[in-house]
Amino acid sequence: MEHVTRIVIIGGGPGGYEAALVAAQLGAEVTVVDCDGLGGASVLTDCVPSKTLIATAEVMTNFDSSYEELGIRVEDSTHDPDDPARVVGVDLGKVNRRVKRLALAQSHDIVASVTRAGVRVMRGRGRLEPSQAPDGSREVVVTPVGDVAGGGEERLAADAVLVATGGHPREIPDAQPDGERILNWKQVYDLEELPEELIVVGSGVTGAEFAGAYQALGSQVTLVSSRDRVLPGEDPDAAAVLEDVFRRRGMNVMARSRAASAKRVGDKVEVELQDGRTITGSHCLVAVGAVPNTADMGLEEAGVRLKDSGHIWTDKVSRTSAPGVYAAGDCTGVFALASVAAMQGRIAMYHFLGETVTPLNLKAVSANVFTDPEIATVGYSQADVDSGRMDAWSVKLPLLRNPRAKMQGIRDGFVKLFCRPGTGIVVGGVVVAPRASELIHPLSVAVDNNLTAGQIANTFTVYPSLTGSIGEVARQLHTRRTAEDG
């Protein structure tokens, strides 16, 4: 009887369930061990919920900031036209109930998809046994959780194991979340009322996204940043635009201010900074990064090398240092993006099952910060150019010059393109605009396929459209290169 390849996947997020679909399609016997629900944090507590909340905030921002300029008149006898107060409000409890409903629906869709593909889904926590069997297989011990808790452990033999366990919110020791006034980014969806004064600790992607969203929903927001600017890991020009927008809309952005503690005082929260200053608000959201879910899984005992941060070391085809063990997603610390996790998971299965595989190419990854305006990036960055890691020319074109942007009342944003001086090959790009996540794709195609600025410049764009700025910035780069060559 022919041996069927057995795959056990620990973790049902994008890295896990996408890998499961690939492995099942290639004829493997696949089991996914998951303790929270398929989709993982990305679907249940992070990406899908936060972007659903942000979608509501985006509608409110667009209405508040544009309706007068666009000539829209609000007929409301209760509204004093001389009163600067906003004319729309939000029922946060209703918003959050919709957020959680959509997240669960997405998770159920994923369960149905993998089940149809023949994948077995187990509710439990997986742990690797220390040694391989003589035939090279691994053993995963599954401890039941939730509604199946109390049952006995089950041992699963596996020819290959994929660890895709994600991460959880990092905490400040003296700012422990209580789920009511001091919150992490998994707990905000339980709020029934909009925070009157929200203090957001952390100005990375998660902190900036939530700060902008709650400001748009009607909270008075204070953003506490330990660095010189918001979004310290993003393009500096893009971060400067966003910080200017935040301040203009009334947000209190506190740079070079590190939070030391947060405590409840009655119905308020006091956040103490390391320099001794104290900020008071009604709620505090702590968004200071994530910790990989790699503890108590027997990984190091099984020969899996961990970094000092607790992340799993992997190579470009998702192998760990232990034979037959792969890893994907946030637990690897490569890029905390669902798209990257999914790609890592697919690559792992293609590699183990003997299919043609292309190693992970991080320079082709496009990413987006879902603030307003959005910040989308792909390829090499301004930091790469400034440091000399990439020799490239760049041109930045403000959206103010774009006719469609003028029509829509868009004032903030730009398109920036990087290309090689000699060949004109596009190696990176930045778009700061409403729906930049939709506009970055042509630049991603260019980077991934080594297209030149001239090729983009000579491609038709719709007039008027925001993509016209992509064509225009490419023409400026191409003209510069042609002039230099001449």
Side-chain angles (χ1 to χ4, degrees), residues 235 237-238 241 382 393-406 410-418 428-434 439 443 456-457 461 463 465-478 480:
D235 180 90
D237 293 330
V241 169
Q382 187 71 58
W393 286 341
S394 70
V395 169
K396 184 178 75 170
L397 188 67
L399 283 185
L400 273 173
R401 294 173 52 180
N402 181 288
R404 186 65 184 275
K406 292 174 183 175
I410 299 170
R411 298 186 184 91
D412 303 294
F414 61 82
V415 175
K416 183 192 288 188
L417 203 58
F418 302 98
V430 182
V431 179
V432 180
L439 295 170
L443 299 185
I456 297 176
T461 57
Y463 181 88
S465 70
L466 295 184
T467 54
S469 289
I470 295 176
E472 177 59 27
V473 76
R475 277 188 287 277
Q476 291 190 18
L477 263 179
H478 181 59
R480 175 183 172 185

Side-chain angles (χ1 to χ4, degrees), residues 33-257:
V33 179
D34 182 82
C35 59
D36 296 319
L38 292 198
S42 176
V43 168
L44 295 169
T45 59
D46 187 3
C47 194
V48 169
S50 66
K51 279 46 175 182
T52 305
L53 178 77
I54 288 166
T56 300
E58 183 183 68
V59 171
M60 295 182 69
T61 300
N62 290 343
F63 188 80
D64 277 352
S65 62
S66 301
Y67 75 96
E68 287 184 353
E69 180 179 340
L70 298 182
I72 298 171
R73 187 172 64 193
V74 179
E75 297 290 354
D76 182 353
S77 59
T78 65
H79 178 65
D80 180 354
D82 297 324
D83 182 0
R86 61 171 50 208
V87 295
V88 290
V90 66
D91 180 339
L92 189 65
K94 187 173 182 179
V95 171
N96 281 337
R97 285 188 290 276
R98 176 175 181 264
V99 164
K100 291 191 278 191
R101 186 172 66 249
L102 289 175
L104 283 175
Q106 180 68 13
S107 179
H108 291 156
D109 286 347
I110 294 168
V111 171
S113 178
V114 300
T115 302
R116 267 197 314 272
V119 175
R120 179 191 181 193
V121 180
M122 291 185 66
R123 186 88 185 273
R125 297 187 185 279
R127 185 180 75 251
L128 271 178
E129 283 291 86
S131 57
Q132 288 181 278
D135 63 356
S137 65
R138 292 276 179 181
E139 195 170 57
V140 175
V141 180
V142 181
T143 304
V145 298
D147 53 4
V148 294
E153 292 184 341
E154 185 169 345
R155 292 177 175 270
L156 304 175
D159 299 298
V161 175
L162 174 69
V163 180
T165 46
H168 61 275
R170 185 184 301 279
E171 295 179 352
I172 298 173
D174 292 326
Q176 293 297 309
D178 60 16
E180 295 178 356
R181 296 281 174 177
I182 304 174
L183 310 158
N184 62 36
W185 40 260
K186 296 175 66 173
Q187 298 169 329
V188 293
Y189 310 108
D190 294 326
L191 291 174
E192 284 294 320
E193 295 184 357
L194 187 69
E196 184 178 343
E197 300 169 306
L198 177 65
I199 301 169
V200 178
V201 176
S203 64
V205 172
T206 301
E209 288 183 345
F210 277 115
Y214 278 101
Q215 182 79 16
L217 293 173
S219 298
Q220 177 55 54
V221 176
T222 296
L223 180 59
V224 179
S225 173
S226 63
R227 309 286 284 275
D228 291 341
R229 57 179 172 85
V230 300
L231 297 175
E234 298 297 320
D235 180 90
D237 293 330
V241 169
L242 186 66
E243 186 166 333
D244 179 64
V245 170
F246 277 174
R247 293 183 189 276
R248 199 170 68 228
R249 291 176 180 167
M251 187 183 299
N252 177 22
V253 180
M254 301 182 66
R256 297 180 295 279
S257 302

Side-chain angles (χ1 to χ4, degrees), residues 381-453:
S381 66
Q382 187 71 58
D384 293 324
V385 175
D386 293 343
S387 67
R389 286 191 296 270
M390 168 55 66
D391 181 19
W393 286 341
S394 70
V395 169
K396 184 178 75 170
L397 188 67
L399 283 185
L400 273 173
R401 294 173 52 180
N402 181 288
R404 186 65 184 275
K406 292 174 183 175
M407 296 170 193
Q408 293 182 292
I410 299 170
R411 298 186 184 91
D412 303 294
F414 61 82
V415 175
K416 183 192 288 188
L417 203 58
F418 302 98
C419 81
R420 298 282 284 162
T423 61
I425 290 174
V426 175
V427 293
V430 182
V431 179
V432 180
R435 304 296 172 90
S437 50
E438 312 293 346
L439 295 170
I440 196 67
H441 189 247
L443 299 185
S444 299
V445 172
V447 170
D448 199 31
N449 291 278
N450 295 319
L451 301 184
T452 66

